Amino acid sequence: MNVLVVGSGGREHTLAWKLSQSPKVDKVYIAPGNSGCAQAGECVDIDVDNFRLLVRWAREHDIGFVVPGAEAYYVAGIVDAFKGSGISTFGPDQAAAELEGSKIFAKNLMRRHGIPTADYAEFEQIEPALRYLDSRPEGPVVVKADGLCAGKGVIVCRNLGEAKDAVRRMMDGGEFGEAGRRVVIEELLRGQEVTILALTDGKTIAPLASSQDHKAAFDGDAGPNTGGMGAYSPAPVLTDELMDEVVGRILVPTVHAMNEEGRRFRGLLYAGLMLTAGGPKVLEYNVRFGDPETQPVLMRLESDLFDLLMATAQGKLVDREMKWTDDAAVCVVLASGGYPGPYEKGKVVSGLDKAAKHPDTVVFHAGAKLTPRGDVVTDGGRVFGVTALGSTIAEAIGRAYAAVGDVSFEGMRYRTDIGKKALVS
Ligand code: AMP
Ligand code: GLY
């Protein structure tokens, strides 16, 4: 069968790489893809936001299965667009994608169904939001835009003054467009963050190996939030006991809640959790694979990803087994200088061939493209995810950074402490 992966990031390169290993997959197309995707299949230069065009293209190219990467496609209804086309599509339909598309929807769902999360209030008008902040005791608070903001709509504020600024920027300044018209203000949670990715067809829930992202831009978790500067799997803080608690108190109730509300969720449910002193609480839901968590998690998967994703899409996930290597995996993101702020593009990259020769190491491409001359040049904030396996986290860290040392481009920046948390916990 031919498979189409939609998107252009590190996650999509990783999905294409893993799907292409399935004996059931003849050919993987990636639209639009990036400079790395050619290793896994064929990049397709079409307008992926035009779903009618995409369906027509998929029909013409005998595609049997479509795997969209980013949330924006799901929220815009890509799965609905393929309904009736005879082509299976992985992931939630538009109604179920609301779980990520609206933070207010997600928070209210959790409140209605008793799923542990930070206390919050929601606002559609700026004045009540500011009055609410005035009524709170001084201290940190988190302000979130309701809609999709490409990972930038959450502002962790140290005090009420910062929170008021954040509210004004969202609700008055229009900095986040329509997405910031409504906001959630919530209590700050403290603890370690972990990511749980789970496949679900709305009946069966199959958690993937645990992982931990590094959201802050700089070492020691300093600086602004980014899309993720690196990740590792497994996350040792997530013990078997804790995992049982997460499944019982969060994943199962979430899938049931969506069913009860007539929004059956099929696809990849991403639960971003804070392990607080009062137990695990949901920071956010996403409705797609995490980036960069997917890179180390899928490096460790021994089972056929195509089988798993297709079974999810077809409602046949029951009794599917997932096999994982005991090895750990670490992904270090190489970013453009300035990211997550403004950065320059078009920097020529060197050393990729050498980096790829390290044992058990894959350099997943993200914001990188090929020039007509065949050079790889930077084309985004997060440019590569250098990912390595090792028998321990420490070995995987050593291997990943050894390969990082071979890659260079002007302004290249990365965190030097990816995975360290796993060594001390
Ligand atoms: P979200 O998109 O909701 O996951 O938020 C992005 C990041 O902001 C999370 O990964 C956390 O690091 C941080 N964050 C979000 N909500 C909270 C909260 N209530 N308390 C502490 N940190 C938070
Ligand atoms: N790594 C965070 C995300 O995928 O949303």
Short mmCIF file of all heavy atoms in Angstrom, two decimals, residues 11 213 215 227-228 270 284 286 288-293, ligand 2:
data_model
loop_
_atom_site.label_atom_id
_atom_site.label_comp_id
_atom_site.label_asym_id
_atom_site.label_seq_id
_atom_site.Cartn_x
_atom_site.Cartn_y
_atom_site.Cartn_z
N ARG A 11 8.86 15.41 13.29
CA ARG A 11 7.88 14.35 13.57
C ARG A 11 7.48 13.63 12.29
O ARG A 11 7.42 12.40 12.23
CB ARG A 11 6.65 14.99 14.21
CG ARG A 11 5.40 14.14 14.18
CD ARG A 11 4.20 14.92 14.73
NE ARG A 11 4.07 16.23 14.12
CZ ARG A 11 3.60 17.30 14.74
NH1 ARG A 11 3.19 17.23 15.98
NH2 ARG A 11 3.52 18.47 14.12
N ASP A 213 9.96 15.78 27.33
CA ASP A 213 10.35 16.85 26.42
C ASP A 213 11.17 17.87 27.21
O ASP A 213 11.15 17.87 28.43
CB ASP A 213 9.03 17.49 25.93
CG ASP A 213 9.23 18.50 24.82
OD1 ASP A 213 10.37 18.66 24.35
OD2 ASP A 213 8.24 19.13 24.44
N LYS A 215 11.11 21.75 27.11
CA LYS A 215 10.42 22.87 26.42
C LYS A 215 11.21 24.17 26.45
O LYS A 215 11.14 24.96 25.52
CB LYS A 215 9.05 23.09 27.07
CG LYS A 215 8.06 21.97 26.75
CD LYS A 215 6.74 22.54 26.27
CE LYS A 215 5.90 21.48 25.60
NZ LYS A 215 5.28 20.54 26.54
N GLY A 227 9.02 24.91 20.99
CA GLY A 227 8.27 23.70 20.61
C GLY A 227 8.86 22.45 21.23
O GLY A 227 8.22 21.41 21.28
N GLY A 228 10.08 22.54 21.75
CA GLY A 228 10.76 21.38 22.33
C GLY A 228 12.19 21.32 21.83
O GLY A 228 12.42 21.30 20.63
N TYR A 270 -2.31 12.71 23.01
CA TYR A 270 -1.10 13.17 23.68
C TYR A 270 -1.54 13.82 24.97
O TYR A 270 -2.29 14.80 24.94
CB TYR A 270 -0.42 14.18 22.75
CG TYR A 270 0.76 14.98 23.27
CD1 TYR A 270 1.94 15.01 22.56
CD2 TYR A 270 0.69 15.75 24.42
CE1 TYR A 270 3.03 15.78 22.99
CE2 TYR A 270 1.76 16.51 24.86
CZ TYR A 270 2.92 16.52 24.14
OH TYR A 270 3.98 17.28 24.55
N GLU A 284 -2.06 19.72 29.24
CA GLU A 284 -2.66 19.94 27.92
C GLU A 284 -2.91 18.59 27.26
O GLU A 284 -2.25 17.60 27.56
CB GLU A 284 -1.72 20.74 27.02
CG GLU A 284 -0.43 20.00 26.71
CD GLU A 284 0.39 20.59 25.57
OE1 GLU A 284 -0.17 21.32 24.74
OE2 GLU A 284 1.58 20.30 25.51
N ASN A 286 -2.97 17.05 23.35
CA ASN A 286 -2.76 17.27 21.93
C ASN A 286 -3.38 16.09 21.21
O ASN A 286 -3.56 15.02 21.80
CB ASN A 286 -1.27 17.41 21.60
CG ASN A 286 -0.66 18.66 22.21
OD1 ASN A 286 -1.32 19.70 22.29
ND2 ASN A 286 0.57 18.57 22.65
N ARG A 288 -2.23 14.68 18.37
CA ARG A 288 -1.28 14.16 17.35
C ARG A 288 0.02 13.82 18.06
O ARG A 288 0.21 14.10 19.23
CB ARG A 288 -1.09 15.21 16.27
CG ARG A 288 -1.05 16.66 16.76
CD ARG A 288 0.16 16.98 17.52
NE ARG A 288 0.19 18.27 18.15
CZ ARG A 288 1.18 18.63 18.98
NH1 ARG A 288 2.15 17.79 19.26
NH2 ARG A 288 1.19 19.81 19.54
N PHE A 289 0.91 13.19 17.31
CA PHE A 289 2.21 12.84 17.87
C PHE A 289 2.96 14.11 18.31
O PHE A 289 2.82 15.16 17.68
CB PHE A 289 3.06 12.13 16.82
CG PHE A 289 2.72 10.67 16.64
CD1 PHE A 289 1.77 10.26 15.72
CD2 PHE A 289 3.37 9.70 17.40
CE1 PHE A 289 1.46 8.91 15.56
CE2 PHE A 289 3.07 8.36 17.24
CZ PHE A 289 2.11 7.96 16.33
N GLY A 290 3.74 14.01 19.38
CA GLY A 290 4.53 15.14 19.86
C GLY A 290 5.80 15.30 19.04
O GLY A 290 6.33 14.34 18.49
N ASP A 291 6.28 16.51 19.00
CA ASP A 291 7.54 16.79 18.31
C ASP A 291 8.39 17.61 19.27
O ASP A 291 8.00 18.72 19.60
CB ASP A 291 7.24 17.59 17.04
CG ASP A 291 8.44 17.69 16.12
OD1 ASP A 291 9.56 17.44 16.59
OD2 ASP A 291 8.27 18.04 14.95
N PRO A 292 9.47 17.12 19.83
CA PRO A 292 10.29 16.00 19.35
C PRO A 292 10.11 14.66 20.08
O PRO A 292 10.94 13.77 19.90
CB PRO A 292 11.70 16.51 19.63
CG PRO A 292 11.57 17.27 20.92
CD PRO A 292 10.19 17.90 20.87
N GLU A 293 9.05 14.45 20.86
CA GLU A 293 8.95 13.17 21.58
C GLU A 293 8.90 11.97 20.62
O GLU A 293 9.36 10.88 20.93
CB GLU A 293 7.68 13.14 22.46
CG GLU A 293 7.69 14.12 23.61
CD GLU A 293 6.99 15.42 23.27
OE1 GLU A 293 7.10 15.87 22.10
OE2 GLU A 293 6.35 15.99 24.17
N1 GLY B 2 6.72 18.69 22.18
C1 GLY B 2 5.51 19.36 22.42
C2 GLY B 2 4.46 19.14 21.43
O1 GLY B 2 4.59 18.35 20.51
O2 GLY B 2 3.43 19.76 21.56
#
